[in-house]
Amino acid sequence: MAQTPQAKYRKDYQSPSHTITDLDLTFDLFDNETIVTAVSQVKQLKDSNTLQLDGESLKLVSVTVNGEAWTQYQETEGMLELNNLPQEFELVIVTEIDPEANTALEGLYKSGGAFCTQCEAEGFRRITYYLDRPDVLAKYTTKVIADKAAYPFLLSNGNRVAQGDLEGGRHWVQWQDPHPKPAYLFALVAGDFDVLRDHYVTKSGRNVELEIFVDKGNLDRAPHAMTSLINSMKWDEERFGLEYDLDIYMIVAVDFFNMGAMENKGLNIFNSKFVLANEQTATDTDYLGIEAVIGHEYFHNWTGNRVTCRDWFQLSLKEGLTVFRDQEFSSDLGSRAVNRINNVRIIRGPQFAEDASPMSHPIRPEKVIEMNNFYTLTVYEKGSEVIRMMHTLLGEEGFQKGMKLYFERHDGTAATCEDFVAAMEDASGVDLKQFRLWYSQSGTPTVKVSSEFNADKQTYSLTVEQSTEPTHDQKDKQPLHIPFDVELYAANGDVIELRCNGRAVGNVLDVTEAKQTFVFENVAEQPIPSLLREFSAPVVLEYNYSDEELVFLMVHARNEFARWDAGQMLLAKYIRSNVTRVQSGQDVELPAAVVDAFRGVLLSQDLEPAFIAEMLALPSHNEVSGWYKQVDVDAVANVLKAIKVQLANELIDEFSAIYHSLKQDAYTIEHAAIGQRSLRNTALAYLAHTELGNELAEKQYADANNMTDTIAAMSAANSAQLACREALMASYSEQWKHDGLVMDKWFALQGTNPAENVLQVIKATMEHEAFSLKNPNRTRSLIGSFLNMNPVRFHAKSGEGYKFAGDILRELNSSNPQVASRLIDPLLKFRKYDEERQALIKAELEALKSMDNLAKDLFEKVTKALEA
Ligand code: B3K
Ligand code: ZN
């Protein structure tokens, strides 16, 4: 490594020495030598005539200040320093860049045949020298020049204001964005596309042109994205009163993209995975994912673009809030319970794991080496839970008042998380002083509850103790303000009113101390408590429920989420006890009462199919691993499998009946139809572990008229290692080998193949014509799924999985460090495994650490993991 990368600290924030009010960009696009001319109107803000501009991998051609060639500058690693500047000036910087060679996919690069950009967080500095920080907001005009035949569409932010033809077959288009923005929201696209056009009239009557750009030939896969966009625009008006503010909204789908999508002002750039769908190529999960991501990026127009972040430590200001908004959007359009369950699964699985890992950080990090490493589940998903807790504490009305005040105060500016909380507090009068700790404290609190019924006094008390274990980044933890949602039930299922100190109280208790007792009065019988309803805070709940109480809640809780959660707790009890049994050489045991409880769920008439499917889903291996300091990978896998096999065989009649009764003829993407497919395919996943499995999977694959059913058949065959697996895989690859995006599902099945020789299979698959390590989607599908979702094989005692990961990481370190840095996460958690495995993983991390060109993305994670 050339230089040890330096960390930045939140506490060191300094406002900029200068600002740039206007930026006029010209791009003369060529594959290898693109010339960028940046004309900035600069104003000094502080007493300094020196200006330091960020820049990386740039060839500087010229610098001009107020029309004069400027020689008073130094170019150093990552920076251009200009000296002896006047107070206000026009700065012209010309740089040359090489988009074709840009495999990191940050800045300006080529995806397939098109030019595109990705500037968040710090990619703009790979385009030109600039104040690449989110608190410098400028008005942009952008002129794009390129070959007309190869690049008929030239796009940038804002409105198209002029265009023309040039000699040599080139043409140009000029764009103007009236809204001042930070550099990370800049975008440019040049290419040849098919375009789906529509329009939307906002509630105040503004007509907005909607355009979705996809690769030629993919037009029939764009309508769902368009519907989702229109639904998003409507929903944000109805629920948040927020309207779109430009005359055009464009979305471009590209195949090479490091993440899901990017909210550039007026010109979103999307990973094609989150745009393209038709019933032959996309699953229901894909459809819902597209709806959520289209919504998410659209909602950023207000929460992110109109009000942006002062500095990158504040990332959760826009991401936590926008995830909350997209979750609400999906819940308002679809099933609230199913959405909540899936969001909670992410928190309890990978987010809790992140909080317990060497990468642990608060939702507002204190220290960052590579900002791209902090686009995390903690900042996004836990950040959303923190917003949700405020919503719980303030109620919808109070929360919306807070949003209104937030926009009144901060529209058009770069704000902080503190600004947001202050607006919520001021608008509602709810005291959020202690609540703010959620922004600065990392780790997962445990909330331990005990209860006592006093028949004489007719009181019931809940004693709540909270504690947070030290995390890698932070030793001392304090009690948090936890909204703790509870309900009490009588044995007949009636709800017992909550009364404290002689008056009725709401369901949400304010837990603020390390230990607190809540005494409820007028409780005539021993109640059954439903605790942490709706997962009202991102904590681990500990309460000693009996099996009978959990079965009772599965049936009687009024709230669907609570019913699901009771089922999960019941499963958790038996997963834990069976892991211990397996470790001492005993067989897995599941009592008849537990099997019967799930039989009851399958037979119940009052539950929606989508919800029944969720009730039947076992916690993932990753989630279960999180319950242990050190996890026995094989024992957990054996237990999960054995429970699945036992439920499948004992409930074979019920599963079969459901499977056959829910067959649909035509495919529709209505929520009810999605729910039915989901339950039917859950039944198939169980039946795969019975004697019926092979025939059902084979037949479903052959009969399927949509991708959801196709993949469900293949996935059942894969996880149960059915005889038909190879034939189905071969048939699919034959049909789709020309289409990388559709092949991603196949790659993911190869990666999660439980077969013993999976690593050989994966290495052979890397030679498949549709595979390329240069493409992040392909890499994540094949390699990422092996590292994250195939625990038994990845953690094989031989260490071959680790070695393979090390080799891939070394390669990606040079070509695409951001993708490498995502992939490395499972290796960082090496302390969770036995000594032998720890040593093997550590050796791989040490080898990475000793590389001389280690990118700072990996440097940050590897050093943290090794020093922890
Ligand atoms: N804001 C982008 C993420 C940028 C990631 C940079 N490494 C997408 C989103 O959250 O909407
Ligand atoms: Zn976002």
Side-chain angles (χ1 to χ4, degrees), residues 142-272:
T142 305
K143 183 171 178 181
V144 190
I145 310 165
D147 182 79
K148 191 169 183 174
Y151 309 102
F153 294 97
L154 306 177
L155 315 174
S156 191
N157 318 86
N159 301 310
R160 195 185 283 110
V161 288
Q163 60 194 65
D165 287 328
L166 297 167
E167 281 168 23
R170 292 174 74 78
H171 71 146
W172 62 274
V173 176
Q174 188 163 36
W175 295 81
Q176 192 169 48
D177 181 358
H179 296 277
K181 64 169 177 287
Y184 83 87
L185 289 173
F186 169 77
L188 174 154
V189 172
D192 192 5
F193 302 100
D194 278 342
V195 194
L196 181 65
R197 294 195 164 85
D198 208 325
H199 74 117
Y200 181 78
V201 181
T202 69
K203 62 174 182 179
S204 71
R206 178 199 277 273
N207 185 60
V208 184
E209 297 303 328
L210 308 177
E211 301 184 335
I212 299 184
F213 298 80
V214 297
D215 276 354
K216 293 235 149 218
N218 276 338
L219 211 52
D220 65 327
R221 298 193 203 179
H224 177 65
M226 183 62 86
T227 307
S228 301
L229 175 58
I230 292 171
N231 287 340
S232 306
M233 298 179 90
K234 207 185 292 171
W235 181 86
D236 215 12
E237 291 181 351
E238 285 167 3
R239 175 94 184 254
F240 279 80
L242 297 172
E243 219 177 301
Y244 188 60
D245 54 8
L246 284 168
D247 302 327
I248 182 164
Y249 193 94
M250 296 172 283
I251 291 176
V252 183
V254 299
D255 289 330
F256 285 71
F257 207 65
N258 282 343
M259 356 36 89
M262 179 63 213
E263 71 263 25
N264 318 300
K265 185 80 188 189
L267 176 56
N268 288 185
I269 299 180
F270 268 62
N271 186 325
S272 54

Side-chain angles (χ1 to χ4, degrees), residues 302-309 317-318 406-407 410-413 415:
W302 277 93
T303 50
N305 301 3
R306 290 289 288 253
V307 183
T308 191
C309 300
L317 173 72
K318 73 179 178 79
Y406 172 64
F407 290 123
H410 303 291
D411 187 11
T413 71

Side-chain angles (χ1 to χ4, degrees), residues 263 296-297 300 319 380:
E263 71 263 25
H296 181 97
E297 305 313 330
H300 267 317
E319 295 305 346
Y380 275 62

Side-chain angles (χ1 to χ4, degrees), residues 106 118-122 184-185 257-264 269-270 293 296-298 300 305 312 315 318-319 322-323 326 370-375 380 818 822:
E106 220 190 354
Q118 172 53 38
C119 294
E120 188 179 359
E122 296 176 332
Y184 83 87
L185 289 173
F257 207 65
N258 282 343
M259 356 36 89
M262 179 63 213
E263 71 263 25
N264 318 300
I269 299 180
F270 268 62
V293 178
H296 181 97
E297 305 313 330
Y298 176 73
H300 267 317
N305 301 3
W312 288 121
L315 180 62
K318 73 179 178 79
E319 295 305 346
T322 305
V323 171
D326 85 55
E370 170 51 61
M371 189 54 212
N372 286 324
N373 281 341
F374 289 84
Y375 287 75
Y380 275 62
Q818 248 186 88
R822 290 260 157 178

